[in-house]
Amino acid sequence: MEHTISVTAQAERKVTDTKSVPFGKVPTEHMFMAEYKNGQWHHAQVVPFHDLTLSPLTLCLHYGQTVFEGMKAFSMEDGSINVFRMDKHYDRFNKSLHRMCMPPVPEKLFINAIKELVSLDADWVPKDADGSLYIRPFMIATEDRIGVKVSDEYLFMVVCSPAFQYYTKPLRVKIETTFVRSAAGGTGAAKCGGNYGGAFYPTSLAREAGYDQVLWTDSVHNEFIEESGTMNAMFVIDNVLITPELSGTILDGVTRDSLLAIAREKGINVEVRQISYNELIDAFEAGRQVEAFGAGTAAVVAPIATIAIGHKEYNCYTEPDALMFRLQKELYDIRRGIVPDTHGWNNII
Ligand code: COI
């Protein structure tokens, strides 16, 4: 299979003040695209960013056969550019594609697409310590047909956008016990568009009630924590880092995985297991110190200040010495080359 990527660069568009723009609103100058047809990938190319033309019959518009990834490139201390944990993102992308009956992307094509694109748009990688270039690989089903079927044609694309803090203040979240994000055997572990669209309604109700996000619970007992909005959920109770296991209903988060590895390395007690909201109530009521945070590529570490469980609100520990901030700092420092990358997570391009 041929994976040569043609590059058509456009005259430089000035990098504007991207810090004040909401997450994901400003694309960089170029994008990558490749078409899948007759069982093969064709026309792999980096081109100036432009709108797509799609037939109203296009399958993805009707049946949600879409998958995406979210990864980041960082400006290193020495001026080089680092795309963080490309292999893990690639692996998850293909697992999601498999679940959604979509063709795998060859590893070389995925890696080279990102390398070519990020190198060409390198000026868009923020130099600020809290900035990064958000990289969004995605695939959509493009066959023109409204009959319900697995598409025979696809478009694999990568777009980028400078990113800063996703959440600007500690979150207020609500334990969700009415609606569920996913159930055993469903698509909860896949990064497919429908998982996010389906979360909008419960999240909008939570917002109306004064919360930023929901903390999803399991579909059987509505009791065990799953994940939160765009992030995995993590807790620190009496210095033990606790996060739900990968049961198949939550996303195998790359930030989750990185924070767990860093915590273990630092000798912190880590428990990957079910955690119920009743356990949280017991901890709060007993006056124990509870940290809660979301972990995700876009959000990195998003502290949770308040958790509403039923009609009662509980306050979490968010002081600067909280464990979550120490883990976050280590992650930042690895990604920017301030401390050694002993895991082989960095990909200097
Ligand atoms: C990410 O953290 O990369 C995500 O995909 C979450 C969100 C921006 C959809």
Side-chain angles (χ1 to χ4, degrees):
M1 216 179 292
E2 184 57 57
H3 298 313
T4 310
I5 298 175
S6 74
V7 177
T8 313
Q10 72 177 3
E12 228 168 84
R13 172 153 54 88
K14 251 209 150 10
V15 181
T16 47
D17 166 26
T18 50
K19 202 161 185 170
S20 53
V21 187
F23 176 87
K25 281 291 264 186
V26 178
T28 59
E29 285 168 270
H30 298 93
M31 63 186 193
F32 170 85
M33 55 203 305
E35 292 158 29
Y36 183 87
K37 214 173 182 168
N38 302 321
Q40 297 275 329
W41 286 102
H42 306 272
H43 309 306
Q45 48 186 323
V46 171
V47 288
F49 186 93
H50 64 267
D51 291 344
L52 300 177
T53 303
L54 294 174
S55 158
L57 301 182
T58 307
L59 262 163
C60 68
L61 302 177
H62 303 273
Y63 308 119
Q65 213 190 355
T66 69
V67 157
F68 70 96
E69 261 306 314
M71 33 202 302
K72 277 180 172 172
F74 299 88
S75 217
M76 303 283 274
E77 281 282 285
D78 66 3
S80 58
I81 290 172
N82 167 29
V83 183
F84 192 66
R85 300 202 70 176
M86 248 196 291
D87 52 349
K88 185 142 174 78
H89 284 285
Y90 170 72
D91 190 50
R92 187 174 66 179
F93 190 51
N94 271 348
K95 282 185 181 144
S96 301
L97 292 171
H98 182 73
R99 179 62 182 82
M100 297 301 290
C101 263
M102 298 162 81
V105 171
E107 186 166 12
K108 221 170 148 197
L109 183 61
F110 184 89
I111 304 281
N112 288 347
I114 288 165
K115 281 187 176 167
E116 287 283 357
L117 181 59
V118 175
S119 306
L120 194 59
D121 285 350
D123 285 351
W124 289 78
V125 183
K127 304 242 178 324
D128 321 55
D130 62 339
S132 61
L133 186 71
Y134 187 79
I135 304 167
R136 170 56 60 88
F138 65 101
M139 195 191 292
I140 57 173
T142 48
E143 188 178 336
D144 294 348
R145 181 155 155 179
I146 50 171
V148 181
K149 71 178 283 285
V150 172
S151 180
D152 284 334
E153 293 168 19
Y154 296 88
L155 190 58
F156 165 46
M157 297 190 61
V158 186
V159 293
C160 300
S161 177
F164 292 87
Q165 262 189 310
Y166 193 78
Y167 294 111
T168 49
K169 59 179 179 38
L171 303 174
R172 288 169 50 77
V173 303
K174 164 186 178 283
I175 296 277
E176 180 58 66
T177 54
T178 304
F179 300 98
V180 293
R181 175 183 172 274
S182 75
T187 58
K191 214 161 165 58
C192 56
N195 285 348
Y196 294 78
F200 288 164
Y201 179 64
T203 307
S204 69
L205 294 184
R207 293 231 164 97
E208 277 168 26
Y211 300 99
D212 301 300
Q213 279 293 343
V214 296
L215 257 181
W216 298 106
T217 55
D218 71 286
S219 65
V220 178
H221 306 97
N222 293 124
E223 182 188 339
F224 296 100
I225 310 290
E226 296 259 297
E227 59 178 61
S228 179
T230 59
M231 309 167 288
N232 289 110
M234 295 187 136
F235 303 90
V236 182
I237 304 179
D238 292 341
N239 287 316
V240 180
L241 178 63
I242 308 167
T243 195
E245 62 213 330
L246 300 177
S247 56
T249 56
I250 66 170
L251 204 70
D252 179 2
V254 177
T255 307
R256 171 190 179 278
D257 184 76
S258 307
L259 294 175
L260 288 177
I262 292 170
R264 287 188 176 113
E265 214 168 62
K266 293 200 168 303
I268 290 154
N269 282 332
V270 172
E271 293 181 7
V272 177
R273 59 164 173 84
Q274 284 192 321
I275 175 164
S276 73
Y277 67 74
N278 287 313
E279 183 178 341
L280 292 178
I281 293 176
D282 289 347
F284 284 122
E285 301 273 341
R288 293 161 75 191
Q289 184 170 300
V290 178
E291 291 176 36
F293 60 101
T297 298
V300 195
V301 165
I304 293 173
T306 307
I307 303 181
I309 310 179
H311 293 296
K312 198 155 175 191
E313 288 188 354
Y314 296 92
N315 293 324
C316 304
Y317 189 77
T318 55
E319 294 302 313
D321 66 341
L323 176 64
M324 60 184 157
F325 297 126
R326 282 182 277 142
L327 297 175
Q328 172 181 250
K329 178 169 186 326
E330 182 72 13
L331 182 60
Y332 272 112
D333 287 352
I334 294 171
R335 299 189 303 192
R336 301 186 65 88
I338 295 166
V339 299
D341 165 31
T342 54
H343 305 271
W345 288 341
N346 292 342
N347 302 276
I348 309 303
I349 59 163

